[in-house]
Amino acid sequence: MLYGLMGLAIGILMPTQSAINNRLRAAVSSPWVMATVSFCVGTLCLALLTWTTEGTVGIDGALIAQQPWWMWIGGLVGVIAMTTTVLLLPIIGALYSTALNLTAQVITTMVVDHFGLFGVEVYKASPWRLTGVLIVLVSALVAVAAGRAGTAPQHASTSPIWYLVGLGVGVCFGVQVAVNGQLAGVLDSAIHAGFVSFAIGTGVLLVLLAVTRPSLRLRVPAGEHRNPWWMWLGGLLGAMYVTGVAFLSPLIGSAATVIAIQTGILAGSLAVDHFGLLSAPKKPVQPLQVVGLVFMVAGVVITHAPDL
């Protein structure tokens, strides 16, 4: 259960990263520049930590050759999922995007754990785990829907393909959790695995930046007097997330890791919205959102019940 609480704590930090990155995006005017800056900061932080703890940031060539090709795709699929989310949000909206992402993540990691895909330790989908997962999913969807109540519905002509893409994003994030967890085992270090994942993701984003060639002008958004120093720290929190996931998933399973972290993300999101943290607009928490969060925590406990 202690590891589940760690997952909750990691998740609570993630909405702070979103608020920080949103402020950075307002200053650089491009989601691709924002993502690249965030990844570069995270990569540098993890490089320093890896060098401090391991004495090197390199990987033995023989070790690379011995591992299956999928061992190194965590950073790639993470960037694919992140950039696709940016493109998808204006098309299907935040409600559907969040719901599809969460559902696909949980189902993907449950399948990975049950069948031991990507070499992970097998965690069978027992009745306890399935019950906990179902409670978390239903509660999360209720809380998300309550938070989006009153927003304009999406255009009826939106192609179903986009909703399938939304599910694909969740699958990518689920695969990333499992793969990075295995990489941490191979490198015997979650920090080193996080660095490798971030470095690969940064490389992909730099290529994307070269192709799209967005403006690199830094500006102060309207209504602001200056850019705050903390807008550059999103990558640091992202590094903590990737490293934490790589550490937790081999210990409690990919599904339990995702469930705990997603519950924390919802809790952190409610706090950011309610108090307007880090320049985010204030949005009072709805009672139904609190109820959903309470049941999500209960689902996390039930999911971990066999381990208590």
Side-chain angles (χ1 to χ4, degrees):
M1 191 61 196
L2 175 62
Y3 293 133
L5 293 176
M6 289 178 61
L8 284 171
I10 292 170
I12 288 172
L13 291 174
M14 295 317 296
T16 304
Q17 184 202 26
S18 297
I20 291 172
N21 283 344
N22 283 337
R23 181 61 182 80
L24 176 61
R25 179 179 177 180
V28 298
S29 304
S30 166
W32 314 124
V33 175
M34 176 274 293
T36 305
V37 170
S38 183
F39 263 72
C40 284
V41 171
T43 300
L44 289 174
C45 292
L46 286 171
L48 179 60
L49 283 174
T50 302
W51 181 78
T52 302
T53 57
E54 303 294 318
T56 180
V57 296
I59 305 175
D60 189 294
L63 180 64
I64 296 177
Q66 292 169 3
Q67 303 307 316
W69 62 270
W70 49 259
M71 188 69 70
W72 315 101
I73 66 172
L76 173 62
V77 296
V79 168
I80 291 173
M82 181 191 68
T83 54
T84 303
T85 299
V86 171
L87 298 173
L88 199 61
L89 276 173
I91 300 174
I92 67 173
L95 172 59
Y96 288 119
S97 180
T98 302
L100 293 170
N101 186 347
L102 173 64
T103 302
Q105 272 196 66
V106 172
I107 293 175
T108 298
T109 50
M110 283 292 292
V111 171
V112 167
D113 283 352
H114 184 77
F115 294 102
L117 304 180
F118 300 108
V120 305
E121 182 178 348
V122 172
Y123 288 86
K124 290 294 184 182
S126 65
W128 269 115
R129 287 185 179 273
L130 289 174
T131 300
V133 167
L134 183 61
I135 290 174
V136 168
L137 277 178
V138 172
S139 302
L141 296 180
V142 167
V144 170
R148 300 292 174 181
T151 56
Q154 300 304 305
H155 197 278
S157 63
T158 301
S159 171
I161 293 177
W162 292 113
Y163 298 102
L164 293 177
V165 172
L167 289 172
V169 168
V171 171
C172 285
F173 279 127
V175 169
Q176 183 189 35
V177 171
V179 169
N180 283 351
Q182 290 303 98
L183 182 59
V186 169
L187 299 178
D188 198 26
S189 169
I191 295 174
H192 202 169
F195 165 70
V196 171
S197 181
F198 253 73
I200 293 173
T202 299
V204 173
L205 281 168
L206 287 172
V207 171
L208 182 61
L209 210 62
V211 172
T212 58
R213 303 182 71 177
S215 171
L216 300 179
R217 182 172 59 89
L218 185 67
R219 67 184 184 90
V220 177
E224 300 279 352
H225 297 294
R226 59 184 176 83
N227 288 318
W229 60 269
W230 47 258
M231 75 178 189
W232 305 102
L233 299 183
L236 176 60
L237 294 175
M240 292 175 59
Y241 167 79
V242 171
T243 302
V245 166
F247 174 75
L248 288 175
S249 58
L251 297 174
I252 61 176
S254 301
T257 298
V258 165
I259 289 169
I261 288 177
Q262 290 295 329
T263 302
I265 287 175
L266 178 59
S269 298
L270 294 182
V272 169
D273 285 350
H274 189 74
F275 297 105
L277 302 178
L278 298 172
S279 300
K282 284 189 177 182
K283 185 178 181 183
V285 173
Q286 303 301 314
L288 198 55
Q289 290 178 293
V290 177
V291 172
L293 178 59
V294 170
F295 275 93
M296 283 185 74
V297 173
V300 172
V301 173
I302 292 173
T303 303
H304 287 82
D307 304 320
L308 296 177

